[in-house]
Amino acid sequence: MRVIGTGSARPAKVVTNAMLEGMLDTSDEWIRERTGIVERRVISSERLEELAIEAAKRAIEDAGVSPADIDYIICSNVVNEYVTPALSCIVQGAVGAKCACVDVNAACSGFIYALDMADDRIKSGKAKTVLVLAAEEPTRMVDWSDRSMCVLFGDGAGAVVVTEGDELFVSRLTTKSMLDCLYYRRRLEPTPYVETEEISGPMYMNGREVFKTAVLSSSRDISHILKEAGLTPSDIKYYVLHQANMRIVDAIANYLKLDMSHFPHNVEYSGNTSSASVPLLLDTLSREGKLQRGDKILMSAFGAGFTTGACIVEWAK
Ligand code: UT7
C-alpha cells in the first residue's frame, strides 16, 4: 500500500497544566518533567464522531479521491458514545462513502493494526482505496480527580487514505495478554440472570509497568523491522512514535543512538491521544512539508493488551 492523503482534527478546548494545578494536587513542573506534556486538547462541546468525520474528510480531500472511490473503512477506536454501530459506519455516511466498514480495538497500537489490515485487504485484491482512521477520547475513560491519570491524556482523530503500492516495507504486530497493567471496564445492562460481580470504574494503569514494557517492546519491534527491511536506524528519516510520554520517546532515541531530529513529537501539546497520536503526528509532518518523496518513516506504538505495532513506509505522496 501507499499513503496518498492525511488528515486530522482536534477538539477546541485547551487544558493547560496551570488549569490542572487549580483543580488537583499537581504542578506544571511535575507534569513537564515526568511526561513532557504542557497542554492537551479535551473534548468539550464536540463529539468524537465529529472529529473522526473531520479528519476523514481532510484525508480524502488531501488524497484527491472521491468518497465513491473508497472501498473499505477501518477505524481504530477504544471508546466513544456508541457501542454499536461502529464509528466507521458513522463516518461512512457523513463522508458519502458506500463501502464496507469495520472498527478495530487494539488500544493505542490500533492505528498500526488498522494500517496492516488495509495492506492485507489491498494485497488480496479485495480493495483498492482504503480510509484508515483513529479517533479516541481517553479523557472520557479516566477519573478527573486522579492526578496520576487525567493529566496524561488528550483527545483527537487522525486519518490516512491508502491505495495500491509497494511503499509498506514491513510491519510487525505483537500481543501479550497483560490485563493487570492497563484496563477499562464498563458495567453492562443488568439481567435477571447475571450472577457474577460486575466491576466498573475509570481506567486503571500501572504507569511504571507500562513505561518499562513500552520502552522494551517498542525498541524490540523497531530493531526487528529495521533488520527485516535491511535498514540501519539512520536510514529512517522520522520515527513517528506513539505520543504517550516524552521520556519514552527519549529512551527509544537513546536506545537507537540517534539524535532527536529523527523523533518528531507533539505530546507536549496533545497529551496521549491513544491510537490517534501516530496519524495526528503524521498529518502535521505532511502538512508542514516535512515529508519528501522517498523518505522512510517508521511508526511504532504500544498499548493496553499489551499490544504493539510497528511498520516502515516510504513516503510517496
Ligand atoms: O498509551 C497508554 C500507555 N501509557 C503510557 O505510556 C504511560 C507510561 N507511564 C508513564 O508515562 C509514567 O509511569 C507516568 C507519567 C504515568 C508516571 O511517572 P512515574 O515517573 O512512573 O511516576 P510514579 O507513578 O512512580 O509516581 C511518582 C510520584 C508518586 O508519589 P510518591 O508515591 O513517590 O509520593 C505519585 O503519587 O509522583 C506522584 N504523582 C504526581 N505528583 C504530582 C503521580 N501523578 C502526579 C501528578 N502530579 N500528576
Side-chain angles (χ1 to χ4, degrees):
M1 55 146 236
R2 175 160 59 103
V3 177
I4 55 168
T6 66
S8 62
R10 304 196 308 154
K13 179 87 185 163
V14 177
V15 176
T16 63
N17 291 348
M19 288 159 78
L20 295 173
E21 280 178 337
M23 54 189 261
L24 294 162
D25 178 17
T26 190
S27 65
D28 176 48
E29 192 190 357
W30 190 97
I31 302 170
R32 278 182 201 241
E33 267 179 19
R34 303 281 176 136
T35 70
I37 300 167
V38 176
E39 61 186 38
R40 67 288 291 142
R41 296 290 184 106
V42 172
I43 291 260
S44 57
S45 55
E46 316 84 349
R47 293 211 151 102
L48 187 65
E49 62 259 34
E50 291 165 0
L51 297 181
I53 292 163
E54 202 176 323
K57 283 186 174 167
R58 287 182 180 159
I60 294 168
E61 192 192 352
D62 190 41
V65 296
S66 142
D69 296 331
I70 295 169
D71 33 32
Y72 206 53
I73 301 178
I74 310 172
C75 179
S76 161
N77 172 254
V78 177
V79 293
N80 72 90
E81 285 177 71
Y82 287 89
V83 172
T84 195
L87 207 46
S88 49
C89 302
I90 300 171
V91 171
Q92 187 232 42
V95 302
K98 301 267 182 272
C99 56
C101 301
V102 69
D103 279 16
V104 298
N105 178 354
C108 304
S109 315
F111 178 71
I112 307 208
Y113 276 70
L115 263 190
D116 190 74
M117 285 167 69
D119 187 51
D120 285 346
R121 192 92 188 152
I122 291 171
K123 269 193 195 126
S124 72
K126 289 184 175 163
K128 194 174 162 208
T129 306
V130 183
L131 171 66
V132 181
L133 64 149
E136 302 280 15
E137 48 183 339
T139 68
R140 303 299 305 274
M141 294 157 63
V142 294
D143 175 357
W144 276 77
S145 65
D146 178 358
R147 66 178 184 173
S148 71
M149 288 295 276
C150 67
V151 305
L152 305 174
F153 296 95
D155 306 317
V160 295
V161 175
V162 298
T163 190
E164 292 163 311
D166 293 324
E167 282 81 5
L168 178 82
F169 290 161
V170 51
S171 66
R172 175 179 159 91
L173 308 177
T174 77
T175 302
K176 184 176 178 206
S177 186
M178 276 174 69
L179 203 58
D180 286 353
C181 75
L182 181 50
Y183 62 81
Y184 175 55
R185 293 175 71 171
R186 261 187 300 193
R187 199 184 289 275
L188 302 177
E189 300 301 321
T191 81
Y193 311 110
V194 171
E195 291 172 2
T196 52
E197 190 198 354
E198 299 216 316
I199 300 160
S200 71
M203 182 159 76
Y204 168 83
M205 178 170 74
N206 178 338
R208 283 188 185 182
E209 189 61 29
V210 172
F211 191 101
K212 217 168 46 192
T213 312
V215 173
L216 284 173
S217 58
S218 223
S219 304
R220 177 205 60 205
D221 283 356
I222 292 169
S223 298
H224 195 281
I225 60 171
L226 282 173
K227 192 168 170 216
E228 202 179 327
L231 299 170
T232 64
S234 60
D235 291 331
I236 301 295
K237 168 95 174 270
Y238 288 126
Y239 289 80
V240 180
L241 306 182
H242 172 39
Q243 302 288 298
N245 183 324
M246 203 50 215
R247 282 161 54 216
I248 297 179
V249 177
D250 287 338
I252 294 170
N254 222 5
Y255 167 80
L256 292 167
K257 299 187 175 51
L258 287 176
D259 68 74
M260 288 305 287
S261 64
H262 290 274
F263 296 85
H265 46 87
N266 62 8
V267 66
E268 56 272 49
Y269 302 113
S270 299
N272 178 347
T273 56
S274 185
S275 72
S277 83
V278 166
L280 265 164
L281 183 53
L282 197 63
D283 183 48
T284 304
L285 291 170
S286 175
R287 284 175 195 266
E288 286 178 352
K290 294 196 170 135
L291 303 177
Q292 263 91 51
R293 221 166 225 280
D295 285 346
K296 293 179 183 64
I297 320 265
L298 191 152
M299 300 178 232
S300 173
F302 51 83
F306 200 87
T307 61
T308 75
C311 65
I312 300 173
V313 296
E314 185 172 296
W315 202 247
K317 217 167 90 55

